[in-house]
Amino acid sequence: MTSTHTVTAQGRAEALAADLARRIDQRLLLPGARLPSVRTAALQRGLSPSTVVAAYDRLQAAGLVEARPQRGFFVREPAPRPAAPARQATPSPAAAPFDTLTLVRNLMRPEHQDSPASGVLPLSWLDPTPLRQGLRAACGPGEEAALLRYADPAGDPGLRALLAQRLVDVGIGASPDQILTTVGATQALDLIAHTLAAPGDAVLVDDPGWPIEYARLSQAGLRLLAVPRGADGPDLAVLSHLIAAHRPRLYVTVSVLHNPTGHSLSLGQAHEVLRRCEAGGVLVVEDDTYAPFAAPHAPRLSALDGLKRTLYVCGYSKLLGAGLRVGFVAGAAEPIAALTERKMVHELCTSAVLERALAHLLSRRALNRQTEALRQRLDAARLRCGRLASQHGFGFSTPPAGLFGWLDSGVDSETLAQQMLEAGWACAPERLFSPTRTGGPHLRLNFATSQDARFWAELARARDRLLGR
């Protein structure tokens, strides 16, 4: 007869296996991730080592994890789905190096949107009043055409004129005809990936960088070449080598308030990046998504280049909220014409109502006070996070700036993030931001959502456990 103790042990093992299987299914544990050691998991869960081993054995039998001698248990790559018959002239693009859908789903979960892993400002920081005012004006008397007709494929002419004026503030000269509006900066980057490069082309990306961009480029069939990005900016020697060896078509980069490190290029670094890319015939795609949180005088690659070999991408969702999906790309006449043609084929046009609403806000300079208030609040949040990090023995690998900090945890950040998730805090480990899916000690922290002293105390406890303190 089975003893009550055995039944209880089996039940605990099954419960642990089910919980880990759920995390793997939801991609909270990504392929290649190492499960906590048996000893660590036993301590974390209050279980016996034999119960943890039984749970891991169940996961291995189900094909979800694999045991590697002397290293532990690792999440397996999912079994490939049977290929559906299709007619195609070119090979299918390689699988994206990061599970884009999983990342997007996690970012959009309400419980994660105000977590340290968040990529946006907290909802409590955003004021819907200006957007409401803009929408009322865009839907008011005399605006029937915006409501009932297709819009100009290039974007609302009045908005493009206002955007051209705004670009002067960051040193970029562009006529309205050099600007194409898009559904947020995301669509602008997607149009570029599918229009100005072909499957098989090489593309330079920052490492670390934004994982959704890695996935977007890979799904377009492009080969990613990682340019290491540290406290001193891009590794120029590696950049030159990759350009000479692979002749890449594009370099998708962030020059100001880089995501995830917060670094901004100096004037000298920006000149060197442009010089080497121009010599190699590389088109630079400058993603300035976090421009609202940066000083206008920060060197933009597109300002230095005059939009000859650069494309400038920006949007307003980070400032006004994600409900306003209006972005734009500025560049020379030829690439903008090509991007406009693709936009017409795939979208016909963007929303005239949303574009008129943004134009209303820009024409009245209604965003200036809101932007300045957010910058001041974010400055205070950064100072507080810096103090809390120092008090708990942490440091940042680059000087804190903008919305994000690149925190050096001193331990494997993926294991640390798993422990923090158990404690109710979602964190973003280094591996998520690597095009080669290489881990390390860094966490990307959102300064606006990482001000709770309880978070820092728990982070320090989790780090100390991993260090055996």
Side-chain angles (χ1 to χ4, degrees), residues 129-140 143 156 158-160 162-163 166 320 324 326 352-368:
T129 303
L131 186 52
R132 286 197 183 109
Q133 293 172 344
L135 288 170
R136 281 197 295 268
C139 297
E143 296 289 351
D156 180 74
L159 174 61
R160 287 187 287 123
L162 288 165
L163 290 173
R166 282 282 174 138
L320 288 169
L324 186 80
V326 179
V353 172
L354 290 179
E355 292 185 359
R356 293 282 182 89
L358 179 58
H360 175 80
L361 298 180
L362 294 179
S363 66
R364 294 171 175 260
R365 294 275 171 172
L367 298 184
N368 291 358

Side-chain angles (χ1 to χ4, degrees), residues 32-393:
R34 182 180 183 273
L35 297 185
S37 69
V38 171
R39 178 176 176 275
T40 299
L43 289 172
Q44 290 175 354
R45 303 273 185 155
L47 302 171
S48 68
S50 61
T51 299
V52 176
V53 169
Y56 285 4
D57 285 343
R58 283 173 167 79
L59 294 172
Q60 188 172 14
L64 297 177
V65 304
E66 61 182 1
R68 299 179 187 174
Q70 309 301 317
R71 297 188 62 197
F73 290 85
F74 292 78
V75 179
R76 294 184 61 180
E77 291 282 351
R81 297 178 181 177
R87 293 176 294 177
Q88 51 189 24
T90 58
S92 298
F98 186 82
D99 189 328
T100 314
L101 292 178
T102 300
L103 179 62
V104 172
R105 288 190 188 108
N106 284 341
L107 288 175
M108 291 184 174
R109 289 180 179 179
E111 67 270 23
H112 288 176
Q113 290 190 21
D114 286 349
S115 73
S118 172
V120 297
L121 291 172
L123 185 62
S124 60
W125 283 37
L126 297 172
D127 181 4
T129 303
L131 186 52
R132 286 197 183 109
Q133 293 172 344
L135 288 170
R136 281 197 295 268
C139 297
E143 296 289 351
E144 288 76 12
L147 293 169
L148 302 175
R149 293 181 179 175
Y150 287 116
D152 186 327
D156 180 74
L159 174 61
R160 287 187 287 123
L162 288 165
L163 290 173
Q165 294 175 19
R166 282 282 174 138
L167 286 178
V168 174
D169 294 341
V170 294
I172 299 173
S175 70
D177 291 341
Q178 290 180 266
I179 297 172
L180 172 68
T181 63
T182 55
V183 183
T186 297
Q187 189 194 27
L189 293 166
D190 190 65
L191 288 171
I192 291 166
H194 286 87
T195 307
L196 303 181
D201 284 348
V203 177
L204 299 164
V205 294
D206 292 331
D207 182 10
W210 181 224
I212 291 182
E213 183 61 20
Y214 301 153
R216 176 185 297 114
L217 295 169
S218 292
Q219 289 176 358
L222 306 176
R223 294 185 293 116
L224 306 190
L225 304 177
V227 180
R229 179 84 176 242
D232 297 323
D235 188 319
L236 296 174
V238 173
L239 176 66
S240 294
H241 169 74
L242 292 174
I243 290 174
H246 298 277
R247 309 298 294 178
R249 286 281 300 143
L250 308 172
Y251 180 18
V252 183
T253 186
V254 179
S255 59
V256 176
L257 299 184
H258 174 249
N259 181 9
T261 67
H263 175 267
S264 295
L265 296 182
S266 69
L267 190 59
Q269 290 167 339
H271 273 297
E272 281 301 312
V273 168
L274 285 173
R275 185 177 68 81
R276 295 169 196 233
C277 288
E278 182 179 8
V282 180
L283 179 65
V284 177
V285 180
E286 183 174 28
D287 180 358
D288 204 14
T289 299
Y290 296 95
F293 311 125
H297 64 266
R300 265 70 174 190
L301 296 167
S302 299
L304 296 174
D305 171 71
L307 294 177
K308 294 189 294 292
R309 293 288 310 173
T310 53
L311 289 170
Y312 179 84
V313 175
C314 194
Y316 286 87
S317 296
K318 297 294 186 293
L319 178 63
L320 288 169
L324 186 80
R325 302 297 298 148
V326 179
F328 67 95
V329 53
E334 186 175 350
I336 292 298
L339 296 173
T340 303
E341 288 181 3
R342 185 174 184 90
K343 176 186 170 182
M344 282 193 295
V345 169
H346 288 267
E347 305 289 338
L348 292 182
C349 61
T350 37
S351 168
V353 172
L354 290 179
E355 292 185 359
R356 293 282 182 89
L358 179 58
H360 175 80
L361 298 180
L362 294 179
S363 66
R364 294 171 175 260
R365 294 275 171 172
L367 298 184
N368 291 358
R369 288 190 301 275
Q370 182 173 344
T371 302
E372 184 56 33
L374 284 174
R375 283 179 184 165
Q376 291 178 5
R377 192 171 183 181
L378 189 54
D379 288 345
R382 270 198 312 276
L383 288 173
R384 175 170 171 78
C385 287
R387 287 194 298 267
L388 288 166
S390 179
Q391 289 169 11
H392 291 87

Side-chain angles (χ1 to χ4, degrees), residues 397-414:
S397 291
T398 57
L403 184 61
F404 301 124
W406 197 228
L407 187 79
D408 187 346
S409 70
V411 295
D412 177 66
S413 61
E414 189 166 18

